[in-house]
Amino acid sequence: NFPAPPFAAHVKNIALDAERGRLFVGVEQGALLRSDDGGATFRDLHGFFNDLHRIAIDPQYPDTVLITTGAGVYRSTDAGERWTRVTTNATGIGYPDALIVDPRDPQQVFIAGSHATPGTWRKTHTANARVLRSRDGGLHWQIVRNGLPAHVRGNIEAMSIAVAGERAELFAGTTEGDIFTSSDDGENWTRIASELPPIAKFGHNF
């Protein structure tokens, strides 16, 4: 089940490998399902913390899959048969949600999230959110924060990338209604909007 009302597990993310007719479906909370026949049948995968947030398939090597969960990022190189956890709280994000694979270079991956779970935010009144970048397909990570507040109180739960040729713009939205953007692969960030309604699911703003 899902810990917040209405306590119903739900599909949160779907990733598609159209060339192979393969689907990955993430259920929050409870499952990661894979279909190899375009959705006619599904199989339950195992080997990770099964509070699924986001799924990303490497477009160059589609057997390589990344997932964000309530306990970190996991990586598989055999289409989900086996998994390796590639982040911990010490990496900088304990509760990752947003996940972006750069279509220009799939080795460049971005995640965003908070230092701990939502239950902790309600006690400390901060998510202490961050953005991390990997340049080796998710094996190693670094915090990218220049231009972001020293302490991002609201969680970063929404992230997207817009690509035109060799140029790309990253966007990140927080549960406090701020939107930040970066045009240099996360090296530098600029706030372009504030005081919007919370960019969050129910119960994640505080």
Side-chain angles (χ1 to χ4, degrees), residues 61-81:
Y61 304 101
D63 283 345
T64 297
V65 183
L66 289 166
I67 55 174
T68 53
T69 77
V73 178
Y74 290 77
R75 184 176 186 267
S76 172
T77 57
D78 55 10
E81 298 298 330

Side-chain angles (χ1 to χ4, degrees), residues 177-199:
D178 294 315
I179 297 178
F180 298 91
T181 184
S182 171
S183 57
D184 57 4
D185 300 332
E187 289 292 335
N188 298 280
W189 295 86
T190 302
R191 191 193 325 247
I192 59 170
S194 60
E195 299 183 2
L196 298 174
I199 304 167

Side-chain angles (χ1 to χ4, degrees), residues 14 25 44 74 78 93 105 131 158 203 205-206:
I14 298 173
V25 178
D44 202 350
Y74 290 77
D78 55 10
I93 295 177
D105 175 11
V131 177
N205 55 312
F206 49 87

Side-chain angles (χ1 to χ4, degrees), residues 155-160 171-180 199:
N155 192 30
I156 298 172
E157 296 199 346
M159 202 170 184
S160 64
F171 298 90
T174 77
T175 58
E176 294 211 311
D178 294 315
I179 297 178
F180 298 91
I199 304 167

Side-chain angles (χ1 to χ4, degrees), residues 56 66 98-103 108-112 159-161 170-171:
L66 289 166
L99 169 62
I100 298 287
V101 172
D102 190 334
Q108 182 159 264
V109 183
F110 299 89
I111 61 170
M159 202 170 184
S160 64
I161 187 170
L170 282 163
F171 298 90

Side-chain angles (χ1 to χ4, degrees), residues 26-49:
V27 178
E28 189 182 39
Q29 291 188 20
L32 176 62
L33 309 173
R34 190 184 83 193
S35 172
D36 295 319
D37 52 17
T41 60
F42 285 89
R43 185 160 65 89
D44 202 350
L45 302 176
H46 301 281
F48 45 84
F49 186 72

Side-chain angles (χ1 to χ4, degrees), residues 111-176:
I111 61 170
S114 67
H115 72 106
T117 61
T120 303
W121 312 345
R122 299 182 189 103
K123 296 175 183 176
T124 62
H125 304 290
T126 179
N128 194 12
R130 292 171 179 159
V131 177
L132 270 60
R133 180 183 63 203
S134 171
R135 285 184 160 160
D136 58 9
L139 294 175
H140 302 91
W141 300 87
Q142 67 177 133
I143 299 171
V144 286
R145 60 172 47 173
N146 190 39
L148 293 173
H151 185 95
V152 182
R153 181 175 178 269
N155 192 30
I156 298 172
E157 296 199 346
M159 202 170 184
S160 64
I161 187 170
V163 176
E166 292 302 312
R167 298 186 61 188
E169 194 87 9
L170 282 163
F171 298 90
T174 77
T175 58
E176 294 211 311

